[in-house]
Amino acid sequence: MKLSRLIWPVLLLFCLGACLDELELDTLGEEEQTAALVVEAVLTNEMITQKVYLSRSSLRLDLETDTVYNPYIPLGSRPIDSVDMEGGATVRVLGDNGTEYGFTEGDDGIYLSNQPFALEMGVGYTLDITTSDGREYASDPLTVEGTSQLTNVYAERAISDSGAEGVAIYVDSQPQQGNTEFYRYTFEETYKIVSPFWAGSDFVLTDYDPCALPVPTYNLEVVPKEVENRVCYNTVSSTIIEQLSTAGNPESKVSKHMVRFIGKDNFIISERYSILVQQQVQSADAYSFYETLKSFSQSDNIFSQIQPGALYANVHRKDGTNENVLGYVEAVGVSDRRLFFNFEDFFPDEELPAFPFDCFLQSVPESHPSYCIQEPVSNPCPQSIIERVNIGTISYFSGYDENLVPYASCPGPYIFVQRICGDCTLLGSNVKPDFWID
């Protein structure tokens, strides 16, 4: 991830010239010092609240906070704090049939349509933007090229090209109307998480004073849990660019196209797994744009493949001013389907994939020497229970049992685990999704 975030500053410099020259910051003009506007939107033919993302490409190359804009991560899937979001803009979608849809800013830089709407085939649309400083921008004309219905999303046990065993997820689709030669696939996968060392009780620490003399004062209780943290669910959006062209196929039919491969040892299929696949019918220009991004992000030599002007952004200044505007806006016809499966559906009687964190039972003394003792006492034991409970790093498992922790060097009255092994809310939400089917 760090390497991919380094690509963007290089690309930006290439776009400013055919070679890299050392520049003094105080020699740059005002326009060159202004971070470029980034416009991202996938407007669809489904009746939904449409979204537009506005941000600024960062001029910072900050390896500590990792804030450089990364154009190779698909729309909406990157962390919001990884770029400078652009607030205070006026955003509209205008149709050549007289329709107009206004947008209101929700979270910083994320603009939501004031009411759900769907793009219509045969209508041309323009995304119109006025930034807070009064600059006006417009997209190239956008049209929904065609529609194609996903007829099946299914999984099969398979072997990857690299020889790994796992589960392949395929799609079939049938064209409905318009031009359906170019497709992009995105997905959201949701998986069930079960805490491997869950217990129905947990530690509660109150009145803790680690500096009290002669020993720390505190009240440590083991009480029933008030929050369900044994079973959770995590949803992750795809961050890959998966496209398909059926150009040359007179039917434009999609048959057994693989959109996802999950290795057999991947934790996300340990319990129950679901994937929502969305098929987007694209224009030829949008397909070309994403193929270029894909070639950049997957190139073995990220420098040799980047050429000036290789990435075309379809948003520009309305007054004709020559300004670098980044990102892409497209209109697509969409279709989606959801699939569920369990690990045993494909690997019956086989061991589940391992939990992604090293979990083991531990026992240490309950307390520790005072932090403020005049002459510090040597303490050969690990950090005490009350110290760990105070900073929230452990979960209660049981009372002490030598059979469970036979090698504990400084056993105490309780057995515990690292919190992530006993509390699934560190990995997901304990609220079951509305769509979930057990």
mmCIF file of all heavy atoms in Angstrom, residues 24-67:
data_model
loop_
_atom_site.group_PDB
_atom_site.id
_atom_site.type_symbol
_atom_site.label_atom_id
_atom_site.label_comp_id
_atom_site.label_asym_id
_atom_site.label_seq_id
_atom_site.Cartn_x
_atom_site.Cartn_y
_atom_site.Cartn_z
ATOM 1 N N GLU A 24 12.640 24.362 -7.027
ATOM 2 C CA GLU A 24 12.549 25.060 -5.759
ATOM 3 C C GLU A 24 11.082 25.437 -5.546
ATOM 4 O O GLU A 24 10.423 25.987 -6.434
ATOM 5 C CB GLU A 24 13.410 26.328 -5.783
ATOM 6 C CG GLU A 24 14.892 26.050 -5.954
ATOM 7 C CD GLU A 24 15.486 25.314 -4.758
ATOM 8 O OE1 GLU A 24 14.924 25.456 -3.644
ATOM 9 O OE2 GLU A 24 16.484 24.601 -4.937
ATOM 10 N N LEU A 25 10.577 25.187 -4.339
ATOM 11 C CA LEU A 25 9.161 25.416 -4.096
ATOM 12 C C LEU A 25 8.767 26.865 -4.328
ATOM 13 O O LEU A 25 7.671 27.159 -4.807
ATOM 14 C CB LEU A 25 8.805 24.998 -2.664
ATOM 15 C CG LEU A 25 8.852 23.498 -2.402
ATOM 16 C CD1 LEU A 25 8.486 23.226 -0.957
ATOM 17 C CD2 LEU A 25 7.902 22.750 -3.324
ATOM 18 N N ASP A 26 9.685 27.820 -4.016
ATOM 19 C CA ASP A 26 9.301 29.209 -4.158
ATOM 20 C C ASP A 26 9.315 29.687 -5.603
ATOM 21 O O ASP A 26 8.973 30.835 -5.881
ATOM 22 C CB ASP A 26 10.195 30.105 -3.291
ATOM 23 C CG ASP A 26 11.669 29.978 -3.656
ATOM 24 O OD1 ASP A 26 11.991 29.233 -4.601
ATOM 25 O OD2 ASP A 26 12.496 30.626 -2.987
ATOM 26 N N THR A 27 9.691 28.814 -6.544
ATOM 27 C CA THR A 27 9.669 29.191 -7.957
ATOM 28 C C THR A 27 8.378 28.772 -8.636
ATOM 29 O O THR A 27 8.131 29.144 -9.766
ATOM 30 C CB THR A 27 10.843 28.553 -8.716
ATOM 31 O OG1 THR A 27 10.660 27.137 -8.755
ATOM 32 C CG2 THR A 27 12.169 28.891 -8.062
ATOM 33 N N LEU A 28 7.556 27.982 -7.955
ATOM 34 C CA LEU A 28 6.320 27.520 -8.564
ATOM 35 C C LEU A 28 5.296 28.637 -8.595
ATOM 36 O O LEU A 28 5.153 29.404 -7.641
ATOM 37 C CB LEU A 28 5.756 26.325 -7.772
ATOM 38 C CG LEU A 28 6.599 25.054 -7.806
ATOM 39 C CD1 LEU A 28 5.987 24.020 -6.879
ATOM 40 C CD2 LEU A 28 6.745 24.512 -9.206
ATOM 41 N N GLY A 29 4.529 28.713 -9.699
ATOM 42 C CA GLY A 29 3.471 29.699 -9.786
ATOM 43 C C GLY A 29 2.299 29.319 -8.906
ATOM 44 O O GLY A 29 2.202 28.202 -8.389
ATOM 45 N N GLU A 30 1.367 30.261 -8.741
ATOM 46 C CA GLU A 30 0.216 30.025 -7.877
ATOM 47 C C GLU A 30 -0.579 28.816 -8.337
ATOM 48 O O GLU A 30 -1.000 27.978 -7.539
ATOM 49 C CB GLU A 30 -0.671 31.269 -7.859
ATOM 50 C CG GLU A 30 -1.923 31.099 -6.991
ATOM 51 C CD GLU A 30 -2.807 32.325 -7.017
ATOM 52 O OE1 GLU A 30 -2.365 33.365 -7.567
ATOM 53 O OE2 GLU A 30 -3.928 32.243 -6.486
ATOM 54 N N GLU A 31 -0.780 28.671 -9.658
ATOM 55 C CA GLU A 31 -1.564 27.563 -10.181
ATOM 56 C C GLU A 31 -0.884 26.235 -9.911
ATOM 57 O O GLU A 31 -1.515 25.233 -9.596
ATOM 58 C CB GLU A 31 -1.782 27.755 -11.687
ATOM 59 C CG GLU A 31 -2.625 26.655 -12.334
ATOM 60 C CD GLU A 31 -4.040 26.640 -11.802
ATOM 61 O OE1 GLU A 31 -4.535 27.713 -11.419
ATOM 62 O OE2 GLU A 31 -4.639 25.548 -11.754
ATOM 63 N N GLU A 32 0.486 26.219 -10.021
ATOM 64 C CA GLU A 32 1.227 24.984 -9.836
ATOM 65 C C GLU A 32 1.241 24.547 -8.386
ATOM 66 O O GLU A 32 1.445 23.392 -8.081
ATOM 67 C CB GLU A 32 2.660 25.160 -10.353
ATOM 68 C CG GLU A 32 2.746 25.360 -11.859
ATOM 69 C CD GLU A 32 4.156 25.720 -12.294
ATOM 70 O OE1 GLU A 32 4.664 26.753 -11.847
ATOM 71 O OE2 GLU A 32 4.747 24.947 -13.065
ATOM 72 N N GLN A 33 1.053 25.516 -7.459
ATOM 73 C CA GLN A 33 1.071 25.173 -6.047
ATOM 74 C C GLN A 33 -0.303 24.715 -5.562
ATOM 75 O O GLN A 33 -0.440 24.272 -4.433
ATOM 76 C CB GLN A 33 1.532 26.390 -5.228
ATOM 77 C CG GLN A 33 2.971 26.788 -5.491
ATOM 78 C CD GLN A 33 3.420 27.894 -4.566
ATOM 79 O OE1 GLN A 33 3.170 27.830 -3.356
ATOM 80 N NE2 GLN A 33 4.067 28.902 -5.111
ATOM 81 N N THR A 34 -1.333 24.847 -6.394
ATOM 82 C CA THR A 34 -2.680 24.463 -6.003
ATOM 83 C C THR A 34 -2.906 22.989 -6.308
ATOM 84 O O THR A 34 -2.711 22.543 -7.426
ATOM 85 C CB THR A 34 -3.718 25.313 -6.764
ATOM 86 O OG1 THR A 34 -3.485 26.685 -6.494
ATOM 87 C CG2 THR A 34 -5.126 24.940 -6.328
ATOM 88 N N ALA A 35 -3.302 22.244 -5.285
ATOM 89 C CA ALA A 35 -3.588 20.828 -5.486
ATOM 90 C C ALA A 35 -4.748 20.678 -6.459
ATOM 91 O O ALA A 35 -5.717 21.443 -6.437
ATOM 92 C CB ALA A 35 -3.911 20.176 -4.151
ATOM 93 N N ALA A 36 -4.658 19.690 -7.327
ATOM 94 C CA ALA A 36 -5.670 19.510 -8.364
ATOM 95 C C ALA A 36 -6.981 19.008 -7.769
ATOM 96 O O ALA A 36 -7.004 18.220 -6.819
ATOM 97 C CB ALA A 36 -5.167 18.521 -9.406
ATOM 98 N N LEU A 37 -8.090 19.462 -8.349
ATOM 99 C CA LEU A 37 -9.401 18.968 -7.970
ATOM 100 C C LEU A 37 -9.560 17.539 -8.478
ATOM 101 O O LEU A 37 -9.226 17.236 -9.620
ATOM 102 C CB LEU A 37 -10.494 19.857 -8.565
ATOM 103 C CG LEU A 37 -11.939 19.435 -8.263
ATOM 104 C CD1 LEU A 37 -12.250 19.596 -6.785
ATOM 105 C CD2 LEU A 37 -12.922 20.268 -9.112
ATOM 106 N N VAL A 38 -10.070 16.673 -7.628
ATOM 107 C CA VAL A 38 -10.333 15.276 -7.985
ATOM 108 C C VAL A 38 -11.844 15.055 -7.935
ATOM 109 O O VAL A 38 -12.471 15.287 -6.901
ATOM 110 C CB VAL A 38 -9.627 14.302 -7.021
ATOM 111 C CG1 VAL A 38 -9.882 12.855 -7.448
ATOM 112 C CG2 VAL A 38 -8.133 14.586 -6.950
ATOM 113 N N VAL A 39 -12.413 14.640 -9.052
ATOM 114 C CA VAL A 39 -13.859 14.414 -9.155
ATOM 115 C C VAL A 39 -14.091 12.943 -9.459
ATOM 116 O O VAL A 39 -13.565 12.416 -10.442
ATOM 117 C CB VAL A 39 -14.484 15.284 -10.264
ATOM 118 C CG1 VAL A 39 -15.999 15.096 -10.288
ATOM 119 C CG2 VAL A 39 -14.128 16.756 -10.075
ATOM 120 N N GLU A 40 -14.890 12.286 -8.636
ATOM 121 C CA GLU A 40 -15.172 10.855 -8.821
ATOM 122 C C GLU A 40 -16.671 10.620 -8.653
ATOM 123 O O GLU A 40 -17.263 11.051 -7.658
ATOM 124 C CB GLU A 40 -14.416 10.012 -7.805
ATOM 125 C CG GLU A 40 -12.904 10.177 -7.846
ATOM 126 C CD GLU A 40 -12.233 9.482 -6.688
ATOM 127 O OE1 GLU A 40 -12.339 9.984 -5.564
ATOM 128 O OE2 GLU A 40 -11.608 8.435 -6.915
ATOM 129 N N ALA A 41 -17.265 9.930 -9.597
ATOM 130 C CA ALA A 41 -18.681 9.594 -9.484
ATOM 131 C C ALA A 41 -19.018 8.465 -10.443
ATOM 132 O O ALA A 41 -18.534 8.443 -11.571
ATOM 133 C CB ALA A 41 -19.559 10.809 -9.788
ATOM 134 N N VAL A 42 -19.820 7.542 -9.964
ATOM 135 C CA VAL A 42 -20.420 6.511 -10.823
ATOM 136 C C VAL A 42 -21.929 6.677 -10.679
ATOM 137 O O VAL A 42 -22.523 6.267 -9.682
ATOM 138 C CB VAL A 42 -19.985 5.096 -10.412
ATOM 139 C CG1 VAL A 42 -20.693 4.065 -11.287
ATOM 140 C CG2 VAL A 42 -18.478 4.938 -10.515
ATOM 141 N N LEU A 43 -22.540 7.317 -11.649
ATOM 142 C CA LEU A 43 -23.983 7.564 -11.650
ATOM 143 C C LEU A 43 -24.660 6.415 -12.385
ATOM 144 O O LEU A 43 -24.199 5.988 -13.442
ATOM 145 C CB LEU A 43 -24.282 8.897 -12.336
ATOM 146 C CG LEU A 43 -23.516 10.108 -11.757
ATOM 147 C CD1 LEU A 43 -23.762 11.351 -12.612
ATOM 148 C CD2 LEU A 43 -23.906 10.363 -10.316
ATOM 149 N N THR A 44 -25.763 5.923 -11.825
ATOM 150 C CA THR A 44 -26.337 4.681 -12.323
ATOM 151 C C THR A 44 -27.795 4.829 -12.732
ATOM 152 O O THR A 44 -28.449 5.830 -12.446
ATOM 153 C CB THR A 44 -26.249 3.568 -11.244
ATOM 154 O OG1 THR A 44 -27.286 3.786 -10.265
ATOM 155 C CG2 THR A 44 -24.901 3.587 -10.537
ATOM 156 N N ASN A 45 -28.284 3.775 -13.365
ATOM 157 C CA ASN A 45 -29.682 3.735 -13.788
ATOM 158 C C ASN A 45 -30.581 3.093 -12.746
ATOM 159 O O ASN A 45 -31.724 2.725 -13.057
ATOM 160 C CB ASN A 45 -29.811 2.970 -15.111
ATOM 161 C CG ASN A 45 -29.504 1.483 -14.938
ATOM 162 O OD1 ASN A 45 -28.747 1.091 -14.050
ATOM 163 N ND2 ASN A 45 -30.087 0.653 -15.801
ATOM 164 N N GLU A 46 -30.103 2.943 -11.514
ATOM 165 C CA GLU A 46 -30.952 2.406 -10.447
ATOM 166 C C GLU A 46 -31.451 3.552 -9.580
ATOM 167 O O GLU A 46 -30.759 4.566 -9.407
ATOM 168 C CB GLU A 46 -30.201 1.366 -9.605
ATOM 169 C CG GLU A 46 -28.925 1.862 -8.982
ATOM 170 C CD GLU A 46 -28.174 0.772 -8.241
ATOM 171 O OE1 GLU A 46 -28.788 -0.253 -7.916
ATOM 172 O OE2 GLU A 46 -26.975 0.970 -7.975
ATOM 173 N N MET A 47 -32.645 3.418 -9.030
ATOM 174 C CA MET A 47 -33.268 4.463 -8.230
ATOM 175 C C MET A 47 -32.643 4.463 -6.838
ATOM 176 O O MET A 47 -33.088 3.772 -5.926
ATOM 177 C CB MET A 47 -34.781 4.226 -8.145
ATOM 178 C CG MET A 47 -35.535 5.334 -7.431
ATOM 179 S SD MET A 47 -35.417 6.948 -8.257
ATOM 180 C CE MET A 47 -36.357 6.642 -9.767
ATOM 181 N N ILE A 48 -31.574 5.236 -6.687
ATOM 182 C CA ILE A 48 -30.837 5.302 -5.433
ATOM 183 C C ILE A 48 -30.424 6.747 -5.169
ATOM 184 O O ILE A 48 -30.540 7.616 -6.026
ATOM 185 C CB ILE A 48 -29.569 4.418 -5.454
ATOM 186 C CG1 ILE A 48 -28.612 4.895 -6.558
ATOM 187 C CG2 ILE A 48 -29.913 2.958 -5.589
ATOM 188 C CD1 ILE A 48 -27.250 4.227 -6.510
ATOM 189 N N THR A 49 -29.938 6.996 -3.953
ATOM 190 C CA THR A 49 -29.291 8.263 -3.644
ATOM 191 C C THR A 49 -27.909 8.231 -4.286
ATOM 192 O O THR A 49 -27.054 7.446 -3.894
ATOM 193 C CB THR A 49 -29.170 8.463 -2.126
ATOM 194 O OG1 THR A 49 -30.477 8.501 -1.545
ATOM 195 C CG2 THR A 49 -28.438 9.767 -1.803
ATOM 196 N N GLN A 50 -27.694 9.045 -5.298
ATOM 197 C CA GLN A 50 -26.436 9.049 -6.044
ATOM 198 C C GLN A 50 -25.370 9.815 -5.252
ATOM 199 O O GLN A 50 -25.689 10.680 -4.434
ATOM 200 C CB GLN A 50 -26.629 9.668 -7.421
ATOM 201 C CG GLN A 50 -27.782 9.097 -8.224
ATOM 202 C CD GLN A 50 -27.473 7.732 -8.845
ATOM 203 O OE1 GLN A 50 -26.331 7.280 -8.863
ATOM 204 N NE2 GLN A 50 -28.497 7.073 -9.387
ATOM 205 N N LYS A 51 -24.094 9.499 -5.493
ATOM 206 C CA LYS A 51 -22.992 10.104 -4.747
ATOM 207 C C LYS A 51 -21.959 10.700 -5.697
ATOM 208 O O LYS A 51 -21.679 10.135 -6.759
ATOM 209 C CB LYS A 51 -22.297 9.067 -3.860
ATOM 210 C CG LYS A 51 -23.147 8.508 -2.742
ATOM 211 C CD LYS A 51 -22.350 7.511 -1.908
ATOM 212 C CE LYS A 51 -23.189 6.910 -0.798
ATOM 213 N NZ LYS A 51 -22.409 5.932 0.020
ATOM 214 N N VAL A 52 -21.391 11.808 -5.273
ATOM 215 C CA VAL A 52 -20.259 12.429 -5.957
ATOM 216 C C VAL A 52 -19.188 12.710 -4.912
ATOM 217 O O VAL A 52 -19.486 13.259 -3.849
ATOM 218 C CB VAL A 52 -20.667 13.744 -6.661
ATOM 219 C CG1 VAL A 52 -19.440 14.430 -7.263
ATOM 220 C CG2 VAL A 52 -21.715 13.473 -7.732
ATOM 221 N N TYR A 53 -17.946 12.325 -5.217
ATOM 222 C CA TYR A 53 -16.824 12.535 -4.313
ATOM 223 C C TYR A 53 -15.932 13.643 -4.868
ATOM 224 O O TYR A 53 -15.487 13.574 -6.017
ATOM 225 C CB TYR A 53 -15.982 11.266 -4.174
ATOM 226 C CG TYR A 53 -16.687 10.087 -3.541
ATOM 227 C CD1 TYR A 53 -17.583 9.316 -4.279
ATOM 228 C CD2 TYR A 53 -16.451 9.732 -2.218
ATOM 229 C CE1 TYR A 53 -18.228 8.229 -3.712
ATOM 230 C CE2 TYR A 53 -17.093 8.643 -1.641
ATOM 231 C CZ TYR A 53 -17.973 7.901 -2.395
ATOM 232 O OH TYR A 53 -18.607 6.823 -1.830
ATOM 233 N N LEU A 54 -15.660 14.660 -4.061
ATOM 234 C CA LEU A 54 -14.752 15.743 -4.441
ATOM 235 C C LEU A 54 -13.607 15.819 -3.438
ATOM 236 O O LEU A 54 -13.831 15.779 -2.222
ATOM 237 C CB LEU A 54 -15.483 17.085 -4.472
ATOM 238 C CG LEU A 54 -16.648 17.244 -5.438
ATOM 239 C CD1 LEU A 54 -17.203 18.665 -5.360
ATOM 240 C CD2 LEU A 54 -16.247 16.908 -6.864
ATOM 241 N N SER A 55 -12.399 15.929 -3.958
ATOM 242 C CA SER A 55 -11.235 16.024 -3.079
ATOM 243 C C SER A 55 -10.142 16.794 -3.795
ATOM 244 O O SER A 55 -10.321 17.275 -4.915
ATOM 245 C CB SER A 55 -10.753 14.626 -2.664
ATOM 246 O OG SER A 55 -10.410 13.849 -3.803
ATOM 247 N N ARG A 56 -9.004 16.923 -3.136
ATOM 248 C CA ARG A 56 -7.827 17.551 -3.719
ATOM 249 C C ARG A 56 -6.661 16.584 -3.638
ATOM 250 O O ARG A 56 -6.455 15.930 -2.613
ATOM 251 C CB ARG A 56 -7.457 18.838 -2.959
ATOM 252 C CG ARG A 56 -8.468 19.949 -3.105
ATOM 253 C CD ARG A 56 -8.307 20.683 -4.399
ATOM 254 N NE ARG A 56 -9.382 21.676 -4.619
ATOM 255 C CZ ARG A 56 -9.472 22.448 -5.677
ATOM 256 N NH1 ARG A 56 -8.552 22.381 -6.627
ATOM 257 N NH2 ARG A 56 -10.469 23.294 -5.815
ATOM 258 N N SER A 57 -5.914 16.469 -4.732
ATOM 259 C CA SER A 57 -4.702 15.656 -4.689
ATOM 260 C C SER A 57 -3.738 16.332 -3.728
ATOM 261 O O SER A 57 -3.549 17.546 -3.772
ATOM 262 C CB SER A 57 -4.075 15.553 -6.080
ATOM 263 O OG SER A 57 -3.703 16.826 -6.553
ATOM 264 N N SER A 58 -3.141 15.574 -2.829
ATOM 265 C CA SER A 58 -2.287 16.161 -1.809
ATOM 266 C C SER A 58 -0.933 16.523 -2.391
ATOM 267 O O SER A 58 -0.351 15.774 -3.175
ATOM 268 C CB SER A 58 -2.111 15.181 -0.645
ATOM 269 O OG SER A 58 -1.263 15.736 0.332
ATOM 270 N N LEU A 59 -0.419 17.686 -1.974
ATOM 271 C CA LEU A 59 0.935 18.078 -2.351
ATOM 272 C C LEU A 59 1.954 17.518 -1.383
ATOM 273 O O LEU A 59 3.150 17.671 -1.570
ATOM 274 C CB LEU A 59 1.045 19.616 -2.365
ATOM 275 C CG LEU A 59 0.165 20.327 -3.394
ATOM 276 C CD1 LEU A 59 0.304 21.827 -3.237
ATOM 277 C CD2 LEU A 59 0.542 19.908 -4.794
ATOM 278 N N ARG A 60 1.463 16.872 -0.319
ATOM 279 C CA ARG A 60 2.366 16.340 0.700
ATOM 280 C C ARG A 60 2.792 14.930 0.340
ATOM 281 O O ARG A 60 1.983 14.124 -0.096
ATOM 282 C CB ARG A 60 1.686 16.303 2.074
ATOM 283 C CG ARG A 60 1.165 17.636 2.534
ATOM 284 C CD ARG A 60 0.610 17.521 3.953
ATOM 285 N NE ARG A 60 -0.406 16.502 4.078
ATOM 286 C CZ ARG A 60 -1.693 16.708 3.854
ATOM 287 N NH1 ARG A 60 -2.107 17.887 3.457
ATOM 288 N NH2 ARG A 60 -2.580 15.746 4.005
ATOM 289 N N LEU A 61 4.039 14.622 0.557
ATOM 290 C CA LEU A 61 4.518 13.252 0.477
ATOM 291 C C LEU A 61 4.926 12.882 1.893
ATOM 292 O O LEU A 61 6.075 13.004 2.294
ATOM 293 C CB LEU A 61 5.709 13.132 -0.476
ATOM 294 C CG LEU A 61 6.267 11.716 -0.663
ATOM 295 C CD1 LEU A 61 5.161 10.755 -1.091
ATOM 296 C CD2 LEU A 61 7.385 11.711 -1.672
ATOM 297 N N ASP A 62 3.927 12.491 2.695
ATOM 298 C CA ASP A 62 4.107 12.308 4.124
ATOM 299 C C ASP A 62 4.075 10.821 4.442
ATOM 300 O O ASP A 62 3.026 10.207 4.513
ATOM 301 C CB ASP A 62 2.990 13.044 4.867
ATOM 302 C CG ASP A 62 3.176 13.060 6.369
ATOM 303 O OD1 ASP A 62 3.961 12.234 6.860
ATOM 304 O OD2 ASP A 62 2.544 13.891 7.032
ATOM 305 N N LEU A 63 5.254 10.239 4.639
ATOM 306 C CA LEU A 63 5.325 8.798 4.867
ATOM 307 C C LEU A 63 4.846 8.411 6.254
ATOM 308 O O LEU A 63 4.561 7.246 6.518
ATOM 309 C CB LEU A 63 6.765 8.308 4.653
ATOM 310 C CG LEU A 63 7.320 8.529 3.239
ATOM 311 C CD1 LEU A 63 8.732 7.970 3.150
ATOM 312 C CD2 LEU A 63 6.438 7.900 2.186
ATOM 313 N N GLU A 64 4.759 9.390 7.164
ATOM 314 C CA GLU A 64 4.300 9.076 8.510
ATOM 315 C C GLU A 64 2.777 8.951 8.555
ATOM 316 O O GLU A 64 2.232 8.031 9.141
ATOM 317 C CB GLU A 64 4.763 10.167 9.482
ATOM 318 C CG GLU A 64 6.271 10.197 9.701
ATOM 319 C CD GLU A 64 6.790 8.899 10.318
ATOM 320 O OE1 GLU A 64 6.085 8.347 11.186
ATOM 321 O OE2 GLU A 64 7.866 8.447 9.919
ATOM 322 N N THR A 65 2.085 9.906 7.919
ATOM 323 C CA THR A 65 0.629 9.872 7.977
ATOM 324 C C THR A 65 -0.002 9.281 6.732
ATOM 325 O O THR A 65 -1.204 9.056 6.693
ATOM 326 C CB THR A 65 0.068 11.294 8.193
ATOM 327 O OG1 THR A 65 0.530 12.141 7.128
ATOM 328 C CG2 THR A 65 0.560 11.873 9.511
ATOM 329 N N ASP A 66 0.807 9.048 5.691
ATOM 330 C CA ASP A 66 0.317 8.343 4.504
ATOM 331 C C ASP A 66 -0.890 9.043 3.892
ATOM 332 O O ASP A 66 -1.944 8.469 3.705
ATOM 333 C CB ASP A 66 -0.049 6.915 4.890
ATOM 334 C CG ASP A 66 -0.031 5.992 3.675
ATOM 335 O OD1 ASP A 66 0.545 6.379 2.651
ATOM 336 O OD2 ASP A 66 -0.587 4.888 3.785
ATOM 337 N N THR A 67 -0.725 10.337 3.566
ATOM 338 C CA THR A 67 -1.870 11.129 3.133
ATOM 339 C C THR A 67 -1.865 11.464 1.650
ATOM 340 O O THR A 67 -2.653 12.287 1.205
ATOM 341 C CB THR A 67 -1.926 12.445 3.927
ATOM 342 O OG1 THR A 67 -0.670 13.120 3.772
ATOM 343 C CG2 THR A 67 -2.194 12.201 5.387
#
